[in-house]
Amino acid sequence: MAQNKNDFINVNNSREKDQVEVMKKIANEAHCPFCLENLRLYHKKPILKEGKFWVITTNQWPYEHTKHHFLLIYKEHATKLTDLETEAGNELFSMIKDLEKEYHFEGGGLAMRFGDTDFSAGTVNHLHVQLVVPDAMAKDFEPVKIKIGLQWEKRK
Ligand SMILES: [Zn+2]
């Protein structure tokens, strides 16, 4: 039985049932699902754009109450902010500006978890940025919540 947490995955932070299943499988493989050579094995959404530092895709398991949920995944394996090339910041902002123009976002939020997944609450420990536009006009709308950090009792 594989552990729920390794260098690449923290199943304890998974949300959806089928996500938990996929993440357990990946944990058994002990490789990083967001490194490009593995991304195509598990990620069923198309790569919308590829830059020098980032690829843009959509979240396979979008947060509840989102209208858009994009992922910008760093192309090299990286887990800490200090792993990022400084120029990658320029490209990131250029890419999210293009997304805003293309999809006419009314508003939303950006989140990038980093480091130890017990602290970040990340499922995949490979730097990625989440761009979330809430479906705020929907009748049953509730605010989109992004968790940072995992309680002691949920760590396995
Ligand atoms: Zn990786």
Side-chain angles (χ1 to χ4, degrees):
M1 179 68 189
Q3 286 194 319
N4 272 6
K5 182 186 176 192
N6 66 23
D7 286 345
F8 308 115
I9 286 286
N10 191 337
V11 180
N12 300 327
N13 290 324
S14 298
R15 292 165 288 118
E16 311 284 342
K17 198 165 168 271
D18 67 322
Q19 184 190 20
V20 170
E21 292 311 309
V22 172
M23 292 303 155
K24 281 187 173 170
K25 188 170 168 260
I26 297 168
N28 276 321
E29 296 294 328
H31 61 198
C32 175
F34 277 4
C35 278
L36 289 182
E37 67 270 25
N38 302 323
L39 192 64
R40 67 180 187 285
L41 297 177
Y42 306 104
H43 189 69
K44 306 301 177 202
K45 302 288 185 182
I47 302 293
L48 302 172
K49 202 171 180 186
E50 182 168 350
K52 184 178 173 200
F53 297 102
W54 305 91
V55 294
I56 305 177
T57 183
T58 51
N59 197 323
Q60 198 152 317
W61 294 280
Y63 291 169
E64 262 192 282
H65 305 292
T66 56
K67 183 172 168 187
H68 297 289
H69 192 165
F70 290 98
L71 294 179
L72 292 101
I73 302 173
Y74 199 59
K75 286 171 71 175
E76 294 289 319
H77 185 73
T79 62
K80 296 183 296 184
L81 298 173
T82 46
D83 295 336
L84 291 170
E85 296 278 346
T86 303
E87 309 92 84
N90 272 334
E91 187 183 87
L92 176 71
F93 275 92
S94 169
M95 286 174 122
I96 60 178
K97 282 163 65 175
D98 288 347
L99 283 173
E100 185 185 51
K101 266 185 248 160
E102 189 177 343
Y103 291 87
H104 309 284
F105 300 147
E106 298 92 342
L110 291 171
M112 181 167 68
R113 297 185 172 101
F114 60 91
D116 188 323
T117 51
D118 285 339
F119 289 77
S120 70
T123 303
V124 177
N125 195 13
H126 174 132
L127 285 178
H128 57 284
V129 174
Q130 318 224 22
L131 189 160
V132 169
V133 174
D135 193 14
M137 297 303 281
K139 244 185 172 165
D140 63 344
F141 177 73
E142 286 179 38
V144 177
K145 291 176 184 148
I146 296 179
K147 190 175 68 166
I148 311 277
L150 184 69
Q151 296 101 313
W152 273 109
E153 58 271 19
K154 292 191 176 167
R155 297 179 192 183
K156 292 177 204 151

